């Protein structure tokens, strides 16, 4: 590490010592012990695509119910999927279950490549866990770090091509005695000071080592690739009630929202025309909801029917008849929770509503 690199790291860590966020999966700066790898791994998986405030609630509930990786590995899939409901990106939960069972059988990996071999662990997550929980020098580059590094280096290479350059520039900055604190300090700097909009350059602890150091110029960095358009998909939800119960199905174990509970309905396609209803009844079109997934946006039209008898199967799907009052605790993923919210709020109102 050259003198300037050393000064950057010292300035950053000095700021972190006074300003580190208190988070339930972290130890305070300069701790002599290392954090529990289970807690670091669980938090990093949850933090992929989800904010700290939401993750904190879910993390506390998960670690209360399953305080060790062995406890998590022994838990039924359905209990973990239900506890994950609302956090989104459910592939993460399925990967978490598989990885927990691999770790319980073989122990925690101690290096980046071992972590990369686990499902759901990409280059950033592997580097962050290895640095934080095992004290190894690794360059953990997520979107926060990409932003800070692009500005400090005044990088003009657009993402994602700039990532390799950022990783190569970052690794020599990681101090051998505090790799975990350095990784967390960069995360906190990106979250509190070097923010996407209006970065706080005037009070920034690394201002003297930053090649941009100007809030207006910094907002233009990192250079992003042109935005991709998100395709639209359409479908129908069939809200079927009988005797105060509502029909729920369980989605197939693989694929989007795999293994999660939901409402029966049509396939989601690029054709906005409605699919045929599953059986003849006094159907009412009662509303629609919108939801954004990573790779597409979805618009679901809700059709409701009231049945005299509780069929065990609808459109080839086994039905779990669930009391209306139990829907909120049924572990519905967000897209279906929006349907339930709309239908329960508009009960007995014939008007057409939309929830985005
Ligand atoms: Fe970011 Fe400004 Fe600090 Fe540079 S000086 S790292 S642009 S906040």
């Amino acid at each position: 590490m050259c003198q300037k690199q050393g000064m950057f790291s010292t300035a950053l860590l000095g700021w972190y010592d006074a300003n580190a966020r208190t988070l339930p999966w972290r130890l305070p700066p300069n701790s002599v012990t290392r954090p529990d790898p289970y807690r670091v791994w669980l938090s990093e998986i949850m933090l992929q695509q989800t904010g700290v405030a939401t993750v904190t609630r879910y993390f506390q509930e998960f670690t209360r119910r399953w305080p060790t990786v062995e406890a998590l590995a022994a838990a039924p899939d359905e209990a973990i999927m239900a506890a994950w409901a609302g956090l989104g990106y459910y592939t993460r939960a399925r990967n978490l279950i598989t990885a927990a069972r691999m770790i319980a059988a073989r122990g925690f990996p101690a290096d980046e490549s071992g972590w990369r071999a686990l499902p759901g662990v990409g280059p950033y997550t592997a580097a962050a866990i290895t640095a934080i929980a095992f004290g190894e020098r690794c360059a953990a580059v997520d979107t926060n770090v990409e932003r800070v590094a692009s500005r400090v280096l005044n990088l003009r290479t657009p993402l994602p091509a700039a990532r390799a350059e950022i990783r190569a520039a970052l690794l020599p900055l990681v101090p051998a005695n505090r790799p975990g604190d350095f990784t967390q300090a960069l995360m906190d700097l990106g979250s509190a000071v070097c923010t996407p909009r209006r970065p706080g350059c005037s009070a920034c602890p690394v201002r003297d080592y930053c090649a941009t150091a100007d809030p207006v110029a910094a907002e233009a960095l990192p250079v992003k690739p042109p935005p991709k358009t998100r395709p639209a998909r359409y479908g129908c939800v069939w809200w079927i009630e009988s005797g105060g119960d509502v029909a729920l199905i369980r989605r197939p174990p693989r694929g989007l929202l795999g293994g999660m509970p939901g409402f029966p309905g049509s396939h989601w396609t690029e054709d906005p025309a409605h699919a045929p209803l599953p059986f003849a009844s006094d159907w009412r079109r009662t509303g629609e909801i919108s939801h954004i997934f990573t790779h597409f946006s979805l618009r679901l039209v809700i059709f409701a029917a009231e049945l005299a008898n509780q069929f065990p199967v609808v459109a080839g799907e086994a039905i779990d008849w669930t009391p209306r009052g139990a829907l909120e605790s049924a572990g519905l993923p967000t897209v279906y929770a929006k349907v339930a919210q709309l239908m329960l709020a508009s009960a007995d109102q014939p008007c057409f509503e939309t929830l985005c």
Side-chain angles (χ1 to χ4, degrees):
M1 191 188 298
C2 73
Q3 192 185 9
K4 197 170 174 194
Q5 288 170 334
M7 288 161 75
F8 172 92
S9 304
T10 303
L12 178 64
L13 285 168
W15 172 82
Y16 181 69
D17 289 345
N19 296 282
R21 284 179 289 181
T22 302
L23 299 170
W25 49 88
R26 276 192 188 177
L27 296 182
N30 264 319
S31 292
V32 286
T33 53
R34 295 208 180 110
D36 179 352
Y38 168 58
R39 295 169 73 85
V40 175
W41 164 67
L42 180 62
S43 66
E44 288 296 338
I45 298 298
M46 288 181 164
L47 286 164
Q48 295 168 352
Q49 293 135 329
T50 307
V52 165
T54 306
V55 165
T56 298
R57 275 191 289 116
Y58 280 81
F59 178 86
Q60 285 170 328
E61 178 60 11
F62 263 68
T63 49
R64 186 189 65 76
R65 291 178 67 177
W66 303 296
T68 63
V69 71
E70 289 78 15
L72 186 69
D77 290 16
E78 298 72 32
I80 298 173
M81 296 304 289
W84 193 276
L87 205 50
Y89 300 96
Y90 296 93
T91 303
R92 290 184 297 173
R94 288 192 294 279
N95 285 335
L96 186 82
I97 294 168
T98 307
R101 290 170 189 162
M102 290 168 74
I103 294 169
R106 306 176 197 162
F108 286 106
D111 59 24
E112 258 184 287
S113 63
W115 281 101
R116 283 295 305 277
L118 292 175
V121 178
Y124 162 75
T125 305
I129 298 170
T130 312
I132 296 167
F134 296 92
E136 296 292 328
R137 290 184 66 237
C138 301
V141 180
D142 69 347
T143 49
N144 257 333
V145 174
E146 276 170 4
R147 184 173 63 254
V148 176
S150 301
R151 292 169 178 181
V152 169
L153 300 168
N154 199 16
L155 266 186
R156 299 284 151 178
T157 313
L159 291 170
R163 250 171 230 149
E165 216 173 318
I166 291 171
R167 201 166 290 120
L170 190 62
L171 194 55
L173 300 177
V174 182
N177 60 339
R178 299 181 66 187
D181 280 354
F182 180 86
T183 302
Q184 293 173 136
L186 267 186
M187 293 174 184
D188 285 12
L189 187 78
S191 160
V193 181
C194 196
T195 46
R197 301 268 166 276
R198 299 167 181 254
C201 298
S202 58
C204 178
V206 296
R207 181 185 170 83
D208 291 348
Y209 315 101
C210 178
T212 305
D214 171 74
V216 176
E219 279 200 11
L221 294 173
V223 179
K224 299 209 175 73
K228 286 187 198 147
T229 52
R230 193 181 262 125
R233 290 193 196 166
Y234 306 88
C236 297
V237 164
W238 304 321
W239 176 276
I240 306 165
E241 287 200 48
S242 180
D245 296 339
V246 181
L248 290 186
I249 51 112
R250 192 158 290 275
R251 291 182 61 89
R254 298 275 156 238
L256 188 65
L257 308 179
M260 304 293 292
F263 297 105
S266 67
H267 291 298
W268 302 342
T269 72
E270 288 165 15
D271 183 356
H274 299 147
L277 293 161
F279 50 82
S281 186
D282 185 16
W283 288 99
R284 290 173 299 126
R285 179 174 163 151
T286 53
E288 59 185 63
I289 62 110
S290 295
H291 190 71
I292 304 290
F293 289 100
T294 316
H295 301 298
F296 64 94
S297 65
L298 178 67
R299 196 148 196 90
L300 288 178
V301 177
I302 306 164
F303 288 91
E306 179 89 36
L307 298 184
N309 300 311
Q310 297 193 347
F311 299 162
V313 172
V314 168
E317 307 252 36
I319 296 300
D320 177 15
W321 289 98
T322 304
R324 288 172 66 97
L327 286 176
E328 272 188 24
S329 55
L332 292 170
T334 306
V335 62
Y336 290 121
K338 286 180 179 179
V339 173
Q341 189 190 339
L342 184 63
M343 291 302 293
L344 296 176
S346 64
D348 304 323
Q349 293 175 23
C351 63
F352 186 86
E353 292 192 46
T354 300
L355 189 68
C356 293

